Amino acid sequence: KLLDSKTRLEEREDIQSFFRSRKQLSAFIGTYAPDIGPANVIAFEFPFGGDFTADLVVGNKETNTFCVVEFEDARPSSIFRTTRRRSTTEWSPRFEHGFSQLVDWCCTLDDFKKTDRFARDFGHGHVRFIALLILGRNAGVSAEDRNRLRWRTEKVRIDSHTVECLTFDDLYEHLNR
C-alpha cells in the first residue's frame, strides 16, 4: 500500500517509520542473508562505534549472521541521474552516500571485532555480515541501468562482505515470493 500510495518516499517520514512499526516485516528483510535462520536481533538506528548508525540490523547470534541495512529515499534520481555530457547515467550522490556509509560500517566493524562490545553485540568467533542498500524505485530505471545495478551487487564486495543494492520495489518482490 505504501508503494502504491506514493511515487516518492522520504527516508525518515515514510520508510523508517513504516519499518519501525512492522517488526516482523523488518525481520524478514534478514532473509537476504543466507543461513540467518530466525532473527533474534532486530535493532533500529543501531550505533557502530559512535560515529555511524545503521537504519536496521537484523541478525541471529547463534549463526553469527547479520544483515545491516541502510535506507535512502525513493525518488526518480535516488540511484542514477542524467548529465548533459554523457549518454550513460551516473550514480547519484544519494546512492554514493548510502554506499559510502556501508563502507564506513564495514571498516568500523572490522576495527572493533576484537572488542568485548563487538562480542556482546554480535557474538564470538567469525561473524558474517550482509549489507543492504535499499533506495529508489524501479520506475525510470532503464534496462541498461538495471544491469549496472545488478552488476554492482554481484561483483562489488566490501572486505569480502556481500553488498546488495536494490530498490524498494525489488524488496517488495522479494518479500512476496
Side-chain angles (χ1 to χ4, degrees), residues 114-128:
K114 300 284 186 199
T115 66
D116 291 337
R117 171 70 191 256
F118 184 92
R120 186 184 73 217
D121 290 345
F122 303 107
H124 297 280
H126 177 72
V127 178
R128 188 164 137 200

Side-chain angles (χ1 to χ4, degrees), residues 2 24 26 55 59 76 106 160 167 170:
L2 177 63
Q24 288 183 323
S26 297
D55 290 327
C106 290
S160 301
T167 68
D170 295 334

Side-chain angles (χ1 to χ4, degrees), residues 1 3 166-177:
K1 288 180 182 179
L3 294 177
L166 60 146
T167 68
F168 286 98
D169 299 297
D170 295 334
L171 177 63
Y172 175 80
E173 291 170 17
H174 173 78
L175 297 175
N176 284 298
R177 284 188 203 146

Side-chain angles (χ1 to χ4, degrees), residues 124-135:
H124 297 280
H126 177 72
V127 178
R128 188 164 137 200
F129 291 96
I130 306 296
L132 297 182
L133 174 58
I134 307 171
L135 75 167

Side-chain angles (χ1 to χ4, degrees), residues 147-157 163-165:
N147 284 334
R148 292 170 61 206
L149 186 62
R150 199 172 303 117
W151 186 93
R152 192 164 181 164
T153 290
E154 291 174 3
K155 302 290 186 178
V156 177
R157 302 283 180 259
V163 179
E164 296 273 343
C165 304

Side-chain angles (χ1 to χ4, degrees), residues 70-84:
E70 173 61 21
F71 295 122
E72 293 291 341
D73 61 29
R75 297 179 181 174
S77 63
S78 294
I79 304 171
F80 297 102
R81 70 178 184 177
T82 57
T83 63
R84 293 181 208 183

Side-chain angles (χ1 to χ4, degrees), residues 28-96:
F28 196 63
I29 291 174
T31 62
Y32 268 92
D35 304 322
I36 197 169
N40 56 24
V41 174
I42 300 172
F44 297 92
E45 296 186 38
F46 185 87
F48 292 127
D51 287 333
F52 306 107
T53 303
D55 290 327
L56 174 64
V57 173
V58 178
N60 184 319
K61 282 189 176 182
E62 282 72 47
T63 64
N64 288 359
T65 305
F66 293 84
C67 183
V68 294
V69 180
E70 173 61 21
F71 295 122
E72 293 291 341
D73 61 29
R75 297 179 181 174
S77 63
S78 294
I79 304 171
F80 297 102
R81 70 178 184 177
T82 57
T83 63
R84 293 181 208 183
R85 297 174 299 232
R86 297 175 26 182
S87 61
T88 303
T89 58
E90 67 181 23
W91 297 96
S92 77
R94 194 69 171 178
F95 182 94
E96 294 294 1

